[in-house]
Amino acid sequence: MLILAAFALAQAAPQQGPMKTFGDWVVACDNVKRCEMTSLQPEGGDWSDDGWQMAVTRDAGPTGGWAVELMGEDAPAGMTVQVEGAPAASAAAVWRGDSFSGAEALTLVDALANGKAVVVRNSAGKPLGRISLSGSSASLRFIDAEQGRAGTTTAAVAKGANPASAVPVAPALPVIASTRPAGTPAALSPALPAQLWTQSDCAENYAGEARPEVERYALGGGATLALVPCGAGAYNFSSIAYVVRGGKAEIAAFDSPPGWTADGPPMLVNAGFDLTTGDLSSYAKGRGIGDCGSAETYVWDGTRFRLTEARGMGECRGSINWLTVWRAKAVPR
């Protein structure tokens, strides 16, 4: 019964979790209440050249623990992470090249909620950079609320006397019955490519120049994915997905369209297809450096493409750590 319930849940249209900006932090929770927050470059600040970021993650449920990660161009083990302005001697920890977890992460999170800035120092004590904590307390409070922790002993900010058992259990991860790629891509009749170019209105993007090749991938069950190029910018290449069966093509159906789809057919950006897993990906960058945009991953279920992961970053302020707002588990048929 549990398996049937999970499959039924996966049939519903994906309801992606919320994402909010508080000061110099962005926080998001996915559909199973796993939450993460990441630092941004301060607006109008003078720390833009430091290149340091911090990410904080917490799993849902009564026993959900913290993970704190430090990100930078060069983050060798032995550095010290110190929180300025926090009690308990400004909470310091030694970076070992991996994320902080357990009691160490909990101590850091308590400091983040009350601190002013994170200072990164090398093993000799020399300051290497700073991370603003403006908005970090509000982001932690948001996680408390989304995970149902407010008023319990497990909360980061909205602490209370209620026990951990009062925290809701983590929702089940949706399960999608997927079809793995099999066979060979169908050959397109001479007339079909012309039909695709005309129907998609993508031909107008290549007036007076050679049109790119229509990419084809076998989906299994006699279906072929055809990606029709539909224009390119400096760092984004758009395409429209069709499914070809029996010599006929239809616009591919998606249970949740890619993030850049407007009024027309689903528009994939920088699309990729994994021949082993059957993952169809879209990765749309808001800026060339990739510090904002949206990304989606889908699998084919024999009828339509189903969302297995959605990530995004709405603030173009230096963070390449896009946050997850949807997850599902694909199970091959």
Side-chain angles (χ1 to χ4, degrees), residues 41-284:
Q41 292 181 356
E43 285 189 314
D46 58 356
W47 302 347
S48 60
D49 293 331
D50 291 340
W52 295 98
Q53 289 181 262
M54 180 169 278
V56 181
T57 305
R58 190 173 202 182
D59 291 328
T63 62
W66 293 101
V68 180
E69 184 178 0
L70 183 67
M71 294 172 287
E73 184 176 347
D74 183 17
M79 297 187 306
T80 300
V81 178
Q82 185 177 21
V83 181
E84 287 185 341
S90 299
V94 177
W95 178 248
R96 294 181 297 276
D98 199 357
S99 60
F100 297 109
S101 60
E104 196 171 38
L106 180 58
T107 298
L108 274 175
V109 168
D110 286 341
L112 296 180
N114 299 286
K116 301 298 183 183
V118 172
V119 181
V120 182
R121 303 177 186 274
N122 65 14
S123 57
K126 178 183 177 181
L128 300 177
R130 296 167 63 85
I131 299 170
S132 169
L133 290 181
S134 172
S136 60
S137 181
S139 297
L140 291 169
R141 186 181 292 274
F142 180 85
I143 292 176
D144 288 343
E146 284 295 311
Q147 294 185 338
R149 300 183 185 280
T152 74
T153 57
T154 73
V157 176
K159 294 181 181 295
N162 292 326
S165 58
V167 177
V169 298
L173 198 67
V175 177
I176 296 172
S178 63
T179 299
R180 286 291 177 90
T184 57
L188 303 183
S189 66
L192 193 54
Q195 173 192 329
L196 296 181
W197 284 109
T198 301
Q199 181 180 344
S200 64
D201 290 329
C202 293
E204 62 187 30
N205 294 301
Y206 304 98
E209 60 182 276
R211 296 173 184 171
E213 181 181 355
V214 175
E215 297 181 27
R216 294 172 296 121
Y217 303 96
L219 294 173
T224 292
L225 169 66
L227 296 177
V228 180
C230 206
Y235 40 82
N236 286 318
F237 184 93
S238 301
S239 57
I240 294 178
Y242 284 81
V243 175
V244 180
R245 287 192 185 95
K248 297 181 179 180
E250 294 183 349
I251 294 176
F254 290 80
D255 64 351
S256 179
W260 276 23
T261 299
D263 297 331
M267 184 74 71
L268 298 164
V269 182
N270 300 317
F273 186 78
D274 190 312
L275 294 172
T276 301
T277 64
D279 288 345
L280 174 63
S281 61
S282 179
Y283 174 67

Side-chain angles (χ1 to χ4, degrees), residues 279-282 295-299 306-311 326:
D279 288 345
L280 174 63
S281 61
S282 179
E296 297 82 26
T297 303
Y298 302 89
V299 292
R306 306 283 297 281
L307 187 68
T308 58
E309 184 183 71
R311 297 180 297 112
W326 172 267

